[in-house]
Amino acid sequence: MKIAKVIMLIGSALFAAVALAGCNSTDVVAKVANTSFAAVIAASDQRVAWSEEDYAWSLASPNGDQVLFSSDFSRNNASGADLDKPDAEFVFDAAPFIAAGLDIAKLPAVDGIKYEIEDGEFMIHFELGSDKAAPDAKKSLGATFAEIVKFQRTRVGYHEKLDHYGVKLGNGNMFEWAKDLSTNDKDIVFVLNPEPFIAAGLDPSKIEGWVFAKVETKDDAGKTIQVDKLLKPFNLK
């Protein structure tokens, strides 16, 4: 996989969310975010599952990495190290991080985020809010995601040129997906802010299975800047 190609596909998709309440553009983004995510769910097929323990739906990549979204953010209002019922979660193999020098005990505390390794899996828990979802949210991942778009609208963004949508999970971490799976060769992407990992000993140039690259995004003032990211893209088929 060429890093330059990944940067071209993902770079500007690390975007500021479009969140102009009451505008047509907002309605379009919210609507298509739901329909495009539904296509991702359909393409994932048997890799979508409900976890009663987490009260969340999970979507797994072809190699088993997972993103989970809770069906009720009000179940947990904690932050930091006390975050035990996450609103969203990444789960992936911890071995490449450990092999690249990470000491999890040295990961800096970040409000609303909890890092842990259990049974060889790296889990990153995210606290996104305290909103109570509608009861029907539990019925499917699509219903859960629709509730997230509704009450966490500012976290959902779209980049027109690349046709990528994404959910901001906090501190520079994101989950992204293609608007049209038939025209984009990277269907879903896990995006991590590498700074906490580097502070805990990780050499990002040595981590296998992830791309460490500078990507182009915009700051809060709309100025174009370059930021470091760890990227893990997947094709679903």
Side-chain angles (χ1 to χ4, degrees):
M1 178 173 56
K2 295 181 179 179
I3 291 178
K5 188 175 183 180
V6 174
I7 295 172
M8 179 182 70
L9 288 168
I10 300 171
S12 296
L14 303 174
F15 41 75
V18 179
L20 303 176
C23 294
N24 289 334
S25 60
T26 297
D27 295 336
V28 170
V29 169
K31 178 180 179 179
V32 183
N34 279 302
T35 57
S36 64
F37 194 75
V40 169
I41 294 171
S44 300
D45 195 23
Q46 300 301 314
R47 296 191 298 271
V48 174
W50 169 256
S51 170
E52 188 66 33
E53 179 182 359
D54 296 319
Y55 206 80
W57 283 95
S58 69
L59 185 153
S61 71
N63 75 342
D65 293 350
Q66 297 179 68
V67 60
L68 292 89
F69 291 106
S70 172
S71 290
D72 188 358
F73 287 8
S74 69
R75 296 178 72 241
N76 181 54
N77 296 321
S79 63
D82 296 326
L83 199 160
D84 59 353
K85 297 182 181 65
D87 298 332
E89 183 177 2
F90 278 152
V91 182
F92 46 82
D93 186 12
F97 286 78
I98 296 171
L102 177 70
D103 182 349
I104 190 171
K106 294 182 179 179
L107 279 168
V110 179
D111 188 42
I113 299 177
K114 178 182 177 181
Y115 305 96
E116 64 178 342
I117 294 177
E118 183 178 320
D119 297 329
E121 292 186 322
F122 205 139
M123 293 171 281
I124 307 179
H125 298 184
F126 301 99
E127 170 68 12
L128 305 183
S130 58
D131 305 271
K132 186 171 180 60
D136 285 351
K138 183 182 175 181
K139 291 183 176 180
S140 69
L141 176 55
T144 288
F145 183 75
E147 287 292 292
I148 293 172
V149 172
K150 182 171 68 176
F151 58 68
Q152 292 285 323
R153 180 62 185 83
T154 58
R155 293 186 180 274
V156 179
Y158 170 63
H159 187 270
E160 182 177 2
K161 183 178 179 180
L162 299 178
D163 270 355
H164 271 199
Y165 285 86
V167 176
K168 292 182 176 182
L169 302 175
N171 195 40
N173 304 290
M174 296 184 65
F175 177 71
E176 300 183 3
W177 65 95
K179 174 185 175 182
D180 187 344
L181 301 181
S182 67
T183 60
N184 200 315
D185 65 349
K186 297 295 177 286
D187 296 335
I188 61 173
V189 186
F190 287 36
V191 182
L192 297 180
N193 173 9
E195 293 179 359
F197 302 100
I198 294 171
L202 179 77
D203 182 343
S205 68
K206 295 181 178 179
I207 185 168
E208 295 186 1
W210 293 76
V211 177
F212 176 60
K214 287 189 177 294
V215 297
E216 184 177 289
T217 186
K218 293 183 182 296
D219 63 15
D220 292 339
K223 179 181 178 181
T224 299
I225 59 173
Q226 297 285 328
V227 295
D228 290 332
K229 295 292 179 182
L230 282 170
L231 309 169
K232 194 167 188 181
F234 298 96
N235 293 322
L236 295 176
K237 294 183 178 180

